[in-house]
Amino acid sequence: KVLMTKSSNESENTPENGDSFAAATDKLGGKGEETSLDIDGLTPEAVKEKLVEALEMAENNREQMLRALAELENMRNRTARDISNAHKFALQKFVTDLLPVVDSLEQGLDASGEEDASVQAIREGMQLTMTMLLNLMEKFSITQINPVGEPFNPDEHEAMSMVKDDKVAPGSVITVIQKGYSLHGRVIRAARVIVAQQ
């Protein structure tokens, strides 16, 4: 008897992505399925016919394996391209939502150049733009750190100086020189503050 193996995922036939290759070969024909070729008592012509059939089966299995490997390579390339695009355009939604704020700033600058522009109108426009920007930042989990009157927190605040102030508790933030910001709870810029002396 001659045993012909239709497909196998033995270790010596497994590429670097062995798990994926094994899954692909399982899909194509199962693991180690064997076909028994009993040639006892057959004429030479019959044996030749059996061998031709076996060679055809081996060639078919080889073609299926090559197609599976090509499909895996295509999948790897698509995945790499998708990851690359995700990195490139990760900020697209944020930038799109930021554009109205930019438009508002441009309109305010144009209005400030007019002869009848008033300081009050310009201030109101700037305040509206600032509100739009803060709302946008909050939408993307960017939180402003403005700790006036709060106890000094070295994880979120950077003390620029300390002064005596009997009106507040020692160690409290008296003045915020520069506001800080956090992203999803992680401080990306500490607030620069002046602290009441102990």
Side-chain angles (χ1 to χ4, degrees):
K1 293 184 177 180
V2 178
L3 296 180
M4 300 298 295
T5 302
K6 288 185 178 179
S7 61
S8 174
N9 61 348
E10 296 176 353
S11 58
E12 60 268 25
N13 293 329
T14 303
E16 292 180 1
N17 55 337
D19 294 340
S20 299
F21 178 73
T25 54
D26 291 348
K27 182 179 179 182
L28 290 174
K31 296 181 179 179
E33 184 180 344
E34 295 180 343
T35 300
S36 176
L37 298 179
D38 190 350
I39 60 175
D40 293 340
L42 296 180
T43 63
E45 290 77 10
V47 171
K48 183 178 179 181
E49 183 178 339
K50 289 279 189 181
L51 288 175
V52 170
E53 292 177 358
L55 289 173
E56 289 177 353
M57 181 187 301
E59 182 62 23
N60 288 337
N61 288 337
R62 178 178 174 276
E63 291 178 359
Q64 289 180 344
M65 180 194 70
L66 292 177
R67 283 196 295 269
L69 289 175
E71 182 179 345
L72 287 172
E73 182 64 23
N74 290 337
M75 185 181 302
R76 185 185 297 111
N77 292 338
R78 284 195 301 269
T79 301
R81 186 169 60 250
D82 291 344
I83 292 174
S84 176
N85 286 337
H87 288 162
K88 286 181 181 178
F89 303 108
L91 293 178
Q92 181 173 339
K93 182 67 168 66
F94 178 76
V95 172
T96 301
D97 289 347
L98 183 62
L99 295 180
V101 179
V102 176
D103 294 339
S104 180
L105 284 172
E106 289 181 340
Q107 292 170 6
L109 288 172
D110 291 341
S112 66
E114 297 176 0
E115 293 182 1
D116 59 346
S118 67
V119 175
Q120 182 63 26
I122 294 174
R123 179 178 177 81
E124 289 176 357
M126 291 179 64
Q127 185 61 51
L128 176 61
T129 302
M130 186 64 177
T131 300
M132 291 173 60
L133 182 57
L134 291 176
N135 290 339
L136 170 63
M137 294 171 66
E138 185 177 352
K139 179 180 178 181
F140 286 88
S141 300
I142 302 172
T143 304
Q144 190 179 75
I145 302 173
N146 185 19
V148 174
E150 298 178 6
F152 176 76
N153 180 355
D155 293 331
E156 296 184 353
H157 313 151
E158 178 183 355
M160 305 305 294
S161 65
M162 299 185 70
V163 298
K164 291 183 178 180
D165 191 331
D166 297 333
K167 298 179 181 179
V168 298
S172 298
V173 174
I174 301 173
T175 306
V176 175
I177 300 174
Q178 185 182 68
K179 296 173 184 176
Y181 292 91
S182 65
L183 176 63
H184 291 289
R186 176 189 292 177
V187 176
I188 57 178
R189 189 180 79 182
R192 293 183 173 182
V193 301
I194 297 175
V195 184
Q197 201 167 27
Q198 298 283 358

